[in-house]
Amino acid sequence: MAKAGPAGLCAAIELKKAGAPVILMDENGAPGGQLFKQIHKFFGSREHKAGIRGFDIGKELLAESIALGIDVRLDTEVVGIERGLKLWAVEKKARSYTEEAAAIVLATGATENALSFPGWTLPGVMTAGCAQTLINVHRVLPGKRVLMIGSGNVGVIVSYQLMQAGAEVVAVLEALPRLGGYGVHTAKVRRAGVPLRCSTTILRAEGKESVERAVIARLDERFQPIPGSEETLEVDTICLAVGLTPAIELSCIAGCSQIYVPELGGNMPIHDEFMRSSVDSVYVVGDLAGIEEASTAMEEGRLAGIHAAHAMGYLDEASMSAKAEETRRRLSALRQGAFGQKRFDAKRRILEKKAAV
Amino acid sequence: MSSNDYLKTMGAPSFDELERAGMLPSLADLAGRGCVCVECVEEIPCNPCETSCPQGALVVGYPITNLPVVDRSKCTLCGLCIAACPGLAITIKSVEAGNAKIRFPWEYLPLPAAGDEVEMVDRLGEAVCAGKILSVNSAAKNNRTAVVTAAFPAAFVQQVASIRRKRHGTV
Ligand SMILES: Cc1cc2nc3c(=O)[nH]c(=O)nc-3n(C[C@H](O)[C@H](O)[C@H](O)COP(=O)(O)OP(=O)(O)OC[C@H]3O[C@@H](n4cnc5c(N)ncnc54)[C@H](O)[C@@H]3O)c2cc1C
Ligand code: SF4
Ligand code: SF4
């Protein structure tokens, strides 16, 4: 059982391929998690479906799970997990039932962080993911002149997509002295003429009924606004791309021990090299187990699926080890380089804590 | 790995940073048929450029965080890598008889059309000179990334990175 983002879909596909009966539950009306908002071509290698646009990856995974005959239950929210692996699910906000499982794979993803400043409750202030859903899923442009707060990959990719949708991005602000996102993504936005401003933040949003202006200022080394550096930008939309936090609620209910890893988004359930949490037969994968990328989420999902299939007797030890080894090799290839190393080290801390428990 | 200070504060690589990564072609490289310009100076987990190249001229290798390396002797300038790169970091440039050409990826609407007079921009999005669209290729194999060719004066060949975006309805 899983949640139907890329991590959950991959776990379900591995389980079903091994012959295990699988139920996939997702609270949304369409599976695919974050993938369906992502109209850009993905990074990674061919094995990770790089170069393919996010929503096409979602469609592919979905078609595969349907072809395999996986029992996909949409509009189904899992609201509780009892001891003995009993899931409490609510279908279409109308009917509630329980389902007993031999193993549970939790792939609940993440929620976006907010940022509070005077005026942040004005209409027009929204998270970057919200703006991305509006333009790419609902085809509604949230505004004409956008200020993006945060220069990580989410901030720069959503800035690019807002321009593709026809908006102007007035600036991308970054509180840190260096830009966060991949250089190739920042370069795309920069050559479209968007200023990317480091050591700068928003002080307040102003407007009568909705956002009309943003007041921004430069920050000193101690992240304090420099007096006299204030500037006013005429904008009607302010997007917040200030990080994601793992959606750990269900894993807490299930009793999984947590660890605080700021590099990966905050608190998250600990796991071992097969993505097993501290609770027997409960696996945690994807952004829930540390904010990374869709490519790593898919590999973690596969690992959990492979191991759970083995634990339930659908896959012998030798094929499980061979498949897991192959998946782990691809996973570690994704965690190299300066960006990857940080995540690799953080992930190792999670494994060590699990080993110590 | 170098610290790429310019890239990490301005958002686009400087000539120095490109040079250091071996990614700034010389004027000799650009002369005549020209060459493929890959501007990807950071170690990121990515390699569609490599898998898209039918000639094996673009290599990332293992681990996939290596920087891409072009073997110009193998490259046929087919341009497949331009649309395949999710970073939109690849162009093909050439200089002949005082005229420069750039083949670059384009994902904004409205698409430019052959014959359009356009403004060529540098890596920071600043206008550098006037240019003219020669062709627009939106073949299905490019998966919704158009590959556009534009001509402009040769003096600006190292600066030019793209064209200025036309805005829907507004100025
Ligand atoms: C703007 C943006 C750009 C990105 N670009 C890239 C990229 O280029 N390459 C890349 O590799 N990654 C990229 N990512 C990251 C990638 O999208 C995520 O890492 C990936 O989606 C995580 O997968 P997941 O399955 O863990 O979570 P999700 O995709 O978030 O899926 C979790 C699912 O679980 C459901 N759910 C949660 N709680 C419950 C519950 N209680 N009951 C039922 N259902 C529940 C959710 O509704 C959701 O459908 C990007 C992310 C963003 C925001
Ligand atoms: S232009 Fe063609 S041959 Fe040259 S590197 Fe790109 S894909 Fe390979
Ligand atoms: S595909 Fe583009 S972004 Fe990816 S490694 Fe190659 S050049 Fe860099």
Side-chain angles (χ1 to χ4, degrees):
Chain A
M1 306 224 185
K3 298 287 136 48
L9 278 166
C10 285
I13 287 170
E14 288 299 332
L15 275 160
K16 190 72 185 185
K17 274 204 259 177
V22 191
I23 303 174
L24 194 61
M25 294 179 174
D26 197 293
E27 64 196 349
N28 287 312
Q34 295 297 318
L35 286 175
F36 279 101
K37 312 189 329 202
Q38 286 160 23
I39 60 168
H40 57 288
K41 291 179 182 166
F42 267 42
F43 281 80
S45 70
R46 177 129 73 193
E47 298 161 320
H48 302 116
K49 312 204 183 280
I52 304 179
R53 294 183 190 276
F55 63 93
D56 285 332
I57 300 177
K59 274 194 231 161
E60 247 176 61
L61 289 176
L62 195 57
E64 189 175 355
S65 54
I66 290 168
L68 284 167
I70 292 169
D71 178 357
V72 182
R73 302 190 188 169
L74 300 174
D75 285 312
T76 301
E77 187 181 0
V78 179
V79 293
I81 297 175
E82 287 171 31
R83 242 174 252 278
L85 303 187
K86 202 192 258 177
L87 284 139
W88 176 25
V90 176
E91 191 188 80
K92 299 198 166 71
K93 295 196 167 63
R95 186 174 82 91
S96 114
Y97 61 95
T98 56
E99 193 79 64
E100 200 121 11
I104 299 178
V105 179
L106 291 174
T108 47
T111 53
E112 291 182 276
N113 299 341
L115 187 69
S116 58
F117 46 83
W120 76 304
T121 54
L122 281 171
V125 181
M126 65 190 75
T127 62
C130 167
Q132 197 185 32
T133 305
L134 283 172
I135 54 176
N136 296 347
V137 180
H138 304 294
R139 300 186 176 253
V140 173
L141 197 58
K144 292 208 170 94
R145 293 176 59 81
V146 183
L147 174 65
M148 180 66 65
I149 316 289
S151 72
N153 280 328
V154 172
V156 287
I157 292 174
V158 175
S159 293
Y160 182 64
Q161 294 179 354
L162 280 161
M163 289 191 281
Q164 289 181 304
E168 286 312 308
V169 177
V170 175
V172 177
L173 306 188
E174 173 57 61
L176 294 173
R178 287 167 76 85
L179 300 168
Y182 290 163
V184 287
H185 287 318
T186 57
K188 261 184 234 182
V189 173
R190 183 73 225 215
R191 71 172 169 264
V194 178
L196 298 151
R197 304 180 57 172
C198 297
S199 300
T200 307
T201 195
I202 181 163
L203 292 183
R204 59 183 183 274
E206 296 177 348
K208 253 202 210 102
E209 268 157 27
S210 61
V211 174
E212 291 167 29
R213 283 171 303 279
V215 179
I216 66 168
R218 289 190 48 80
L219 297 172
D220 64 20
E221 312 82 72
R222 289 154 66 220
F223 297 101
Q224 297 306 309
I226 300 174
S229 71
E230 295 84 2
E231 264 176 74
T232 302
L233 302 178
E234 302 288 323
V235 295
D236 56 20
T237 306
I238 298 172
C239 287
L240 309 176
V242 290
L244 297 157
T245 302
I248 61 172
E249 294 83 349
L250 270 184
S251 73
C252 291
I253 293 173
C256 303
S257 309
Q258 310 281 326
I259 182 175
Y260 182 71
V261 187
E263 303 94 301
L264 296 175
N267 280 309
M268 63 205 65
I270 56 171
H271 63 76
D272 67 5
E273 51 173 3
F274 293 109
M275 309 313 297
R276 280 182 293 191
S277 74
S278 63
V279 178
D280 252 358
S281 304
V282 174
Y283 298 75
V284 290
V285 297
D287 280 355
L288 164 67
I291 307 297
E292 291 191 85
E293 304 196 317
S295 44
T296 45
M298 292 190 280
E299 298 297 3
E300 289 188 349
R302 281 192 194 105
L303 260 182
I306 290 162
H307 190 274
H310 166 66
M312 293 187 290
Y314 290 97
L315 207 58
D316 63 52
E317 178 86 39
S319 6
M320 189 277 284
S321 303
K323 280 177 168 228
E325 202 39 58
E326 176 59 22
T327 312
R328 253 188 248 119
R329 188 190 61 76
R330 291 199 301 261
L331 205 46
S332 66
L334 288 170
R335 291 182 182 142
Q336 307 223 3
F339 286 98
Q341 191 64 42
K342 239 190 349 202
R343 300 197 313 240
F344 180 82
D345 293 342
K347 273 287 185 185
R348 207 178 41 208
R349 294 217 306 279
I350 298 181
L351 294 182
E352 281 165 6
K353 168 119 185 230
K354 174 69 169 57
V357 169
Chain B
M1 193 182 139
S2 72
S3 60
N4 292 321
D5 287 340
Y6 191 87
L7 173 66
K8 299 316 280 181
T9 51
M10 299 300 285
S14 66
F15 285 133
D16 273 357
E17 287 165 350
L18 290 171
E19 183 99 70
R20 229 179 296 137
M23 292 178 181
L24 189 68
S26 68
L27 289 175
D29 296 327
L30 293 165
R33 65 195 280 269
C35 68
V36 57
C37 308
V38 180
E39 303 197 349
C40 180
V41 303
E42 244 176 5
E43 295 173 329
I44 53 175
C46 185
N47 74 356
C49 50
E50 175 173 40
T51 42
S52 72
C53 177
Q55 309 300 331
L58 236 167
V59 176
V60 172
Y62 185 86
I64 65 165
T65 46
N66 289 343
L67 297 186
V69 177
V70 184
D71 180 344
R72 291 195 189 124
S73 67
K74 288 189 187 159
C75 174
T76 60
L77 301 178
C78 70
L80 283 174
C81 53
I82 297 176
C85 165
L88 306 189
I90 305 180
T91 61
I92 292 177
K93 290 184 186 178
S94 62
V95 175
E96 217 161 10
N99 280 310
K101 274 190 216 161
I102 180 171
R103 242 193 288 173
F104 60 96
W106 189 254
E107 295 186 330
Y108 296 108
L109 292 173
L111 283 181
D116 282 0
E117 304 284 342
V118 290
E119 231 176 341
M120 308 306 296
V121 298
D122 65 11
R123 294 172 184 77
L124 300 183
E126 309 282 350
V128 287
C129 62
K132 192 173 188 154
I133 302 295
L134 299 179
S135 65
V136 179
N137 174 349
S138 4
K141 67 171 187 294
N142 290 342
N143 188 9
R144 292 159 275 200
T145 303
V147 176
V148 177
T149 308
F152 58 95
F156 304 104
V157 69
Q158 297 286 25
Q159 282 104 299
V160 163
S162 190
I163 60 172
R164 187 179 299 291
R165 180 165 65 103
K166 277 191 245 164
R167 322 232 150 130
H168 298 271
T170 55
V171 271

